[in-house]
Amino acid sequence: MTPIRRVWVTRAEPGAARTADRLTALGFTPLVVPLLTLAPLPGALDAAPDPAAVAVLALTSPNGVEAFAPLAPRFSRHPVFAVGDATAEAARAAGFADVRSASGDIHALARLIAAEAPPGPLLAPGAREPAGDLPTLLPDRPVQRLPVYAAFETHAPAPATFDAVMLHSPRAARALATILAANLPRAASSGRVAICISEAAATPLRAFNFTEIRIAAAPDEPAMLSALGKPAAPV
């Protein structure tokens, strides 16, 4: 593998700080320059249905959990199906009692819901522009999306020097592609490695000349960190 030391962290805060801490513990040098910033949608929680009209909650990110948390006391007894372990942990911390993790992506979440969720309407609080289409993946169940937060591009410039860049979402990858296209793309990506959480996150980057695009073995941060390999020795 290409030796890597300086790693550009593109994800939004507060996740970026957690990623930086993990990179530092592994011996990498994190460069935190988020390409996205997150904000709750004003009045979004007012559109939430009555808890009695909901049988199941589906949560697709810790950010969605945080934005939906003010309603947690009203929905705390509902079974929660989370896309991955980090989202499940956030849901438990927010006060949800019955939480199951799909330990995967949106497709794994849909399979878990189809196999184990009780019948009835499903409420999916999440991003205004979700990474996946849960209603389409669950055609036999009523699914109500509830946009509770949105991601906005920061248009931050790339760090002057970095060995690898981590893309935690297709949205972040699209933001990076926009920056690369506007700023001498061959020079900006040449000699660098892209670490992508999924094939969907890798797709926007294939037009550029990264030395390597690595896709995590699983759609989570531990797999992304594993894809980095061992850090290069300090110079």
Side-chain angles (χ1 to χ4, degrees), residues 76-203:
S76 61
R77 295 187 180 276
H78 285 66
V80 172
F81 288 77
V83 70
D85 297 343
T87 302
E89 182 181 346
R92 295 186 187 100
F96 294 100
D98 180 4
V99 181
R100 279 163 269 190
S101 172
S103 299
D105 59 9
I106 193 76
H107 297 276
L109 176 60
R111 289 192 296 269
L112 181 65
I113 291 170
E116 298 185 13
L122 182 147
L123 179 65
R128 184 169 61 187
E129 298 178 29
D133 189 351
L134 195 59
T136 298
L137 295 174
L138 294 168
D140 299 325
R141 176 187 292 269
V143 177
Q144 178 181 343
R145 287 191 57 245
L146 180 66
V148 291
Y149 75 95
F152 301 92
E153 294 186 15
T154 64
H155 304 289
T161 57
F162 64 96
D163 304 313
V165 56
M166 296 181 70
L167 288 313
H168 285 73
S169 68
R171 181 71 189 275
R174 292 194 296 271
L176 176 58
T178 298
I179 290 172
L180 293 176
N183 294 278
L184 300 174
R186 299 193 65 81
S189 57
S190 178
R192 275 70 182 257
V193 175
I195 307 295
C196 301
I197 197 167
S198 65
E199 175 59 38
T203 298

Side-chain angles (χ1 to χ4, degrees), residues 13-81:
E13 294 288 10
R18 295 193 294 268
T19 299
D21 288 343
R22 292 168 186 142
L23 287 167
T24 299
L26 291 171
F28 295 97
T29 301
L31 308 170
V32 178
V33 183
L35 293 180
L36 301 174
T37 185
L38 306 178
L41 294 174
L45 299 183
D46 296 339
D50 188 289
V54 175
V56 181
L57 291 176
L59 297 171
T60 55
S61 74
N63 301 317
V65 175
E66 181 179 358
F68 188 70
L71 293 185
R74 293 173 53 191
F75 289 87
S76 61
R77 295 187 180 276
H78 285 66
V80 172
F81 288 77

